[in-house]
Amino acid sequence: MTKTGAETNTGAETGTGAEHGRAAGTVAGGAHVVGSDAEALEIADAFAAALRDGAAERDRQARVPVEELAALGRGGLLGLTVPARLGGADVSTVTLVEVFRRLAAADPSVAQVPQNHYVFVSVLRHDGTEEQQRRLLGDVLAGARFGNALSERGTKHVMDMRTRLLPAADGTLRLNGTKYYCTGALTATWIPVFALDAQDRLVVAYVPRGADGVDVLQDWTAFGQRATMSGTTRLTDVVVAPENVVAHWRAFERPQVSGAFGQILHAAIDVGIAGAALADGARFVREKARPWFEAAQERAADEPHVLLRFGQLGAKVHAAEALLRRAAETLDAAVASGPRPSAEAAGAASLAVAEAKAFGGDVAVEVASEIFGLMGASASDAAHDLDRHWRNARTHTLHDPARWKYVHNGNHIINGVLPPNHGLV
């Protein structure tokens, strides 16, 4: 495979960023390379503005956002967490979470597609070899995107995995299994796959999207997050090069924040949906809703009961945003404490993320539903597609149960017990 990205793009070639090990401009693949946290937010704002106008139509059509995702890659947002020593921006979790929140407020389906991309960049950062990092993260800087093939259906529970990566008679490694909820796999460059090896240890196999035996189906029929195309991926005797396998089980032999990192990006999507629902509800009340006759007001926007409820909902959205930022700061602190954070630092990060995700999801569902009682019956017209906020929030918050996040936080508050180290908190 031809090496691209970090190996061929240095600060010396671009004339900027060499003193910090960062590159700016473009790489061989034509993708922009972001140079700072501030630039990341500027690009996210511009991309979100481009997404916003077409979000309702993409939802109605359940259209695969091919062009939008291509633009995401060209704009450089996919390389935000590539280490600075390899030419990436290496932005903080605070910045990355804010990027996700802003994109999700514009279109949460498009925002969810690269969620696992950043997770698998993180896997390479923490458990990949130097060669894997330079090669695969070089591809990322050139605009490549990781999809995912993690979860399975029809098994006893989420930890009951049937997909296997095993040696074949011809000496090759062969991957076999069926995955679902494969957000982003359809249009990805690489599909990272969770599998168990011959010793029943968890590995990640980075599989080229076009590899023989990889079949990605367009069978996603959920009522929300329609454009994510989070359907089935079938893997049949897929040959996997040993150099594309990461021993992910090692991450859980020590205190880790990889699970919290993946979870906080989901939380940012929920909080983004909540903010978008509140803003769209307020706009509808200002511009279209009729006042109730007993209010003796010319506009629904002047009804005291409407103002009260919007004020209450707004306070919850702002609280969710504050918890999200607090969680990101706690996660950054755990990472800054060293390559192997203590159990206490990792636990604090996981609990802060769990709190932000559980509360943010609850708020997203509540706001996306409650605005209809304030906007009136005309808001239910399909032409407005305002129900997409509730459908998206309700679908996305089913990713994993909030009740267990509250339980882990409660157990820590009462009994001082740190959360489990399984990566789903």
Side-chain angles (χ1 to χ4, degrees):
M1 177 178 177
T2 301
K3 293 184 178 181
T4 59
E7 291 103 328
T8 58
N9 185 45
T10 65
E13 289 176 334
T14 61
T16 59
E19 66 275 21
H20 300 296
R22 295 185 179 183
T26 60
V27 293
H32 178 72
V33 176
V34 178
S36 68
D37 291 56
E39 187 188 7
L41 294 174
E42 291 174 3
I43 293 172
D45 281 339
F47 188 57
L51 287 179
R52 192 169 289 110
D53 287 344
E57 192 62 26
R58 282 190 294 274
D59 172 73
R60 290 190 191 97
Q61 297 176 355
R63 178 170 64 80
V64 181
V66 175
E67 292 302 320
E68 291 79 6
L69 293 173
L72 177 71
R74 290 193 301 270
L77 292 180
L78 295 176
L80 293 183
T81 56
V82 172
R85 64 182 176 79
L86 297 179
D90 203 6
V91 303
S92 67
T93 307
V94 170
T95 295
L96 183 66
V97 165
E98 183 60 14
V99 166
F100 262 79
R101 187 191 68 80
R102 295 181 190 188
L103 296 185
D107 188 330
S109 286
V110 175
Q112 188 183 340
V113 170
Q115 185 268 339
N116 274 303
H117 165 86
Y118 294 99
V119 169
F120 288 109
V121 169
S122 179
V123 167
L124 287 167
R125 288 186 58 150
H126 292 100
D127 294 306
T129 65
E130 179 68 21
E131 186 277 335
Q132 287 172 330
Q133 291 175 7
R134 293 187 64 81
R135 177 168 49 85
L136 293 172
L137 296 183
D139 271 5
V140 168
L141 286 179
R145 179 169 50 79
F146 298 142
N148 94 88
L150 308 184
S151 297
E152 301 176 14
R153 294 203 298 182
T155 57
K156 184 177 180 180
H157 50 66
V158 70
M159 292 296 191
D160 180 21
M161 190 174 299
R162 310 291 173 84
T163 300
R164 293 291 186 271
L165 180 66
L166 301 172
D170 63 0
T172 62
L173 287 174
R174 300 277 177 153
L175 185 64
N176 285 278
T178 300
K179 299 289 190 174
Y180 196 69
Y181 305 113
C182 299
T183 305
L186 184 67
T187 54
T189 312
W190 292 86
I191 303 177
V193 181
F194 270 4
L196 299 182
D197 67 7
Q199 288 77 44
D200 285 338
R201 300 173 303 187
L202 182 64
V203 298
V204 178
Y206 287 75
V207 178
R209 166 66 180 87
D212 290 341
V214 176
D215 187 15
V216 183
L217 308 182
Q218 296 190 49
D219 58 346
W220 176 244
T221 56
F223 61 66
Q225 293 296 87
R226 291 171 170 173
T228 63
M229 285 295 154
S230 303
T232 300
T233 297
R234 292 175 181 158
L235 306 153
T236 307
D237 279 337
V238 179
V239 177
V240 179
E243 61 267 25
N244 289 337
V245 179
V246 175
H248 195 40
W249 78 85
R250 292 174 180 156
F252 303 100
E253 293 179 339
R254 60 185 187 269
Q256 50 76 37
V257 293
S258 60
F261 178 75
Q263 291 279 310
I264 200 171
L265 301 182
H266 282 300
I269 293 169
D270 294 335
V271 175
I273 294 172
L278 186 73
D280 282 355
R283 186 178 303 109
F284 194 93
V285 167
R286 283 195 307 270
E287 298 175 359
K288 297 182 181 298
R290 296 187 299 173
W292 185 242
F293 71 95
E294 292 178 281
Q297 298 288 342
E298 291 298 316
R299 303 187 313 150
D302 294 322
E303 279 196 41
H305 299 299
V306 172
L307 297 176
L308 170 66
R309 190 66 182 126
F310 264 94
Q312 293 170 332
L313 294 175
K316 291 185 178 184
V317 171
H318 297 151
E321 291 171 351
L323 281 176
L324 183 67
R325 183 176 181 87
R326 171 182 173 271
E329 291 171 346
T330 307
L331 191 50
D332 275 336
V335 172
S337 68
R340 295 190 175 186
S342 67
E344 290 73 21
S350 293
L351 290 169
V353 172
E355 187 175 58
K357 187 172 186 296
F359 184 77
D362 289 347
V363 170
V365 172
E366 179 183 4
V367 172
S369 175
E370 287 294 301
I371 56 173
F372 282 94
L374 305 169
M375 295 185 296
S378 60
S380 65
D381 192 314
H384 304 303
D385 200 43
L386 292 170
D387 62 304
R388 76 183 186 277
H389 296 305
W390 182 86
R391 289 186 288 101
N392 288 335
R394 185 66 283 175
T395 299
H396 188 255
T397 53
L398 298 175
H399 179 269
D400 56 314
R403 62 186 181 273
W404 278 96
K405 300 183 185 306
Y406 285 125
V407 165
H408 291 312
N409 271 279
N411 199 19
H412 183 259
I413 291 169
I414 295 176
N415 300 314
V417 176
L418 292 173
N421 193 41
H422 54 47
L424 292 177
V425 182

